[in-house]
Amino acid sequence: MKILFTSEAVVENCNGLYHKTSFQPFINRYKYFGDVIFCSYVKTVDKSKQSVLNTDGLTFIFLEKEIQPLKLYSIKQRNKLKLEKAIQDVDIIVSHLPSPIGIEAVKLAKKYNKPYFIGVVGCAWDAYWNHGIKGKLVAIPYYISMRKIVKESPFVFYVTQKFLQERYPSDGTTIGCSNVEITEQNPTVLDNRILKILNSNPNRINIITVAAVNVRYKGQEYVIRAIAKLNKTNGRKYHYFLVGGGNNSFLMNLAKSLKVIDYVHFVGPLPHEQIYDFLDTMDLYIQPSRQEGLPRAVIEAMSRALPVFGSKTAGIPELLLNECVFDNCSVKQIMDLMSKIDNNKMIHYAKRNFSEAMKYQKSILDARRYNFYNSILKHYNLSKDDNNRQ
């Protein structure tokens, strides 16, 4: 059996090896159906800080980015032909939305009467509205198109428990199941966190956000603005560590203009296997995004018993206590939360977050996913051992 997996992801090709840290778990899951054909974009790089993808049982189909206005139509047609050929040669399709690739794949799956299911991993409105004038022009039609496709899909998984379900309801069989894969929780993680809180310098707070630094809607600027004010008026000094790739010139210039460049540390991207170790050195995690699905980084921080603050965006409030959530773009509320945190609160949040993260352990979520996958196979009368084309 073959499954076509479509995504807007950009895979990095470095010396003939393909890198994309966040997509290895998806590929591993979809191998439940058989061989995986991964359809996305690719760019060649001299060096990658992402993990190498395991390509066993995996085939790539790379489309062209539709970014040249004069060539937009021809590129779109070439992509459609390539996608159409792939869909005719597989048994089932899974499309991650929002994604123009995913929307086209679903339309073609219906055209050729191919089994398919959908993963709602973000919000089309948020994804496009936060990308300038061009994004705002396409936000409404993509939002409407995604709502229609999700509503009609016979099977849909959501990465949230409530937010995306409410924006993109489906008449089919659905499941709320996070993308995140947390390994089995070790109680020593919480013990070590409490010791760190009790023994840390009370006058220095190390804050971390894991997100691309060239994407404005990730919101790191609001944390920089908050610490610029706090470091002038509060007895503490707040250091902000930004882990993530991309051009950091906007945030760098902002930190310089606010005279906090010595307190803002651009770490760059880290391989996923190094993220946990780095989280263990921090005091507080913050997710100030204006757009998200259910952020992996928040759950991973919670699994390391880190206190976490987050914005009222998408699935973030589903993960945190109400008192740890702030309004989008609110520098004042970020300041209030950070200035009022003390050891007692940090220990309370550490215990609560560590316990909450247990719900996202790989073994628990995999059991739910595979029940869902089996329902899909049964509905379409497919067998994992069946290699016959439909």
Side-chain angles (χ1 to χ4, degrees):
M1 180 184 278
K2 292 182 181 178
I3 181 169
L4 178 68
F5 166 30
T6 71
S7 169
E8 287 293 293
V10 179
V11 175
E12 294 181 347
N13 181 352
C14 181
N15 299 320
L17 296 176
Y18 295 105
H19 301 247
K20 187 63 181 177
T21 301
S22 59
F23 275 77
Q24 189 67 63
F26 287 117
I27 291 165
N28 293 344
R29 291 168 202 159
Y30 296 144
K31 285 182 180 178
Y32 188 81
F33 293 90
D35 292 334
V36 178
I37 294 86
F38 184 20
C39 181
S40 64
Y41 300 113
V42 67
K43 69 175 180 180
T44 301
V45 297
D46 295 327
K47 185 178 180 181
S48 177
K49 291 191 176 182
Q50 299 198 65
S51 301
V52 177
L53 287 171
N54 179 355
T55 56
D56 292 342
L58 176 65
T59 303
F60 292 104
I61 295 176
F62 292 125
L63 304 185
E64 302 173 61
K65 273 282 190 180
E66 302 166 14
I67 56 176
Q68 303 176 58
L70 296 179
K71 298 181 179 180
L72 188 63
Y73 179 78
S74 60
I75 291 173
K76 188 172 183 178
Q77 288 303 110
R78 287 198 296 271
N79 284 345
K80 182 178 179 179
L81 287 173
K82 189 179 287 189
L83 189 58
E84 193 164 17
K85 183 177 183 300
I87 283 173
Q88 292 178 72
D89 191 46
V90 299
D91 300 284
I92 188 167
I93 298 99
V94 54
S95 289
H96 283 196
L97 302 180
S99 160
I101 297 175
I103 288 174
E104 188 63 40
V106 171
K107 290 178 180 178
L108 290 170
K110 290 181 176 181
K111 176 182 176 180
Y112 290 101
N113 197 29
K114 290 284 185 173
Y116 73 94
F117 64 103
I118 287 173
V120 180
V121 299
C123 174
W125 176 269
D126 292 343
Y128 291 104
W129 189 260
N130 289 304
H131 282 283
I133 300 298
K134 183 179 177 182
K136 287 176 171 56
L137 290 173
V138 301
I140 294 175
Y142 269 123
Y143 171 71
I144 293 171
S145 179
M146 182 169 161
R147 275 183 64 93
K148 181 177 186 296
I149 284 175
V150 173
K151 186 172 182 59
E152 296 174 351
S153 177
F155 292 92
V156 181
F157 76 83
Y158 300 86
V159 296
T160 61
Q161 296 301 317
K162 293 188 295 183
F163 173 75
L164 291 170
Q165 285 90 330
E166 291 173 355
R167 284 206 177 179
Y168 303 93
S170 173
D171 292 334
T173 300
T174 67
I175 183 176
C177 200
S178 169
N179 291 338
V180 182
E181 289 190 340
I182 300 297
T183 55
E184 296 300 317
Q185 297 287 79
N186 188 331
T188 61
V189 170
L190 179 58
D191 295 337
N192 292 337
R193 173 61 59 189
I194 293 173
L195 283 174
K196 185 180 187 310
I197 292 170
L198 294 174
N199 294 323
S200 290
N201 179 354
N203 295 319
R204 171 170 174 152
I205 300 291
N206 293 320
I207 310 161
I208 179 174
T209 297
V210 180
V213 294
N214 62 331
V215 181
R216 292 284 294 272
Y217 64 71
K218 289 298 183 181
Q220 296 98 325
E221 65 176 285
Y222 308 112
V223 182
I224 294 174
R225 294 182 188 279
I227 68 171
K229 295 182 178 181
L230 285 172
N231 284 357
K232 291 178 182 178
T233 60
N234 194 292
R236 290 171 172 163
K237 296 300 180 185
Y238 297 83
H239 288 254
Y240 189 28
F241 293 79
L242 290 87
V243 176
N247 185 333
N248 64 16
S249 58
F250 170 75
L251 295 175
M252 176 80 76
N253 291 334
L254 177 65
K256 287 178 179 177
S257 68
L258 295 175
K259 297 181 171 52
V260 287
I261 192 61
D262 292 337
Y263 299 96
V264 179
H265 311 278
F266 294 94
V267 180
L270 290 176
H272 190 253
E273 56 270 19
Q274 295 180 20
I275 294 290
Y276 281 4
D277 289 340
F278 199 82
L279 289 171
D280 288 343
T281 68
M282 296 289 105
D283 301 306
L284 175 67
Y285 186 92
I286 187 164
Q287 193 74 37
S289 309
R290 291 183 286 123
Q291 172 199 327
E292 284 292 352
L294 191 76
R296 171 190 304 271
V298 169
I299 298 175
E300 291 179 340
M302 292 166 61
S303 77
R304 306 311 293 176
L306 262 173
V308 178
F309 296 147
S311 57
K312 289 180 182 176
T313 298
I316 295 176
E318 295 179 15
L319 299 172
L320 306 177
L321 294 170
N322 288 338
E323 64 195 71
C324 294
V325 177
F326 53 87
D327 289 338
N328 292 358
C329 312
S330 176
V331 173
K332 182 181 183 304
Q333 289 185 22
I334 294 172
M335 289 174 60
D336 288 343
L337 286 171
M338 292 198 298
S339 63
K340 293 175 181 177
I341 197 166
D342 56 28
N343 280 3
N344 288 335
K345 286 184 177 180
M346 292 181 82
I347 291 172
H348 173 60
Y349 298 153
K351 290 179 178 178
R352 184 266 175 193
N353 288 350
F354 186 76
S355 175
E356 187 70 14
M358 289 185 179
K359 298 177 183 178
Y360 297 88
Q361 290 182 133
K362 184 178 184 299
S363 58
I364 295 173
L365 295 183
D366 276 352
R368 297 184 63 208
R369 288 189 191 102
Y370 295 147
N371 283 336
F372 181 66
Y373 295 166
N374 285 332
S375 297
I376 295 171
L377 291 170
K378 183 177 180 180
H379 175 82
Y380 288 119
N381 195 27
L382 293 172
S383 168
K384 291 193 293 180
D385 299 323
D386 185 5
N387 293 316
N388 295 323
R389 291 287 157 279
Q390 291 200 345

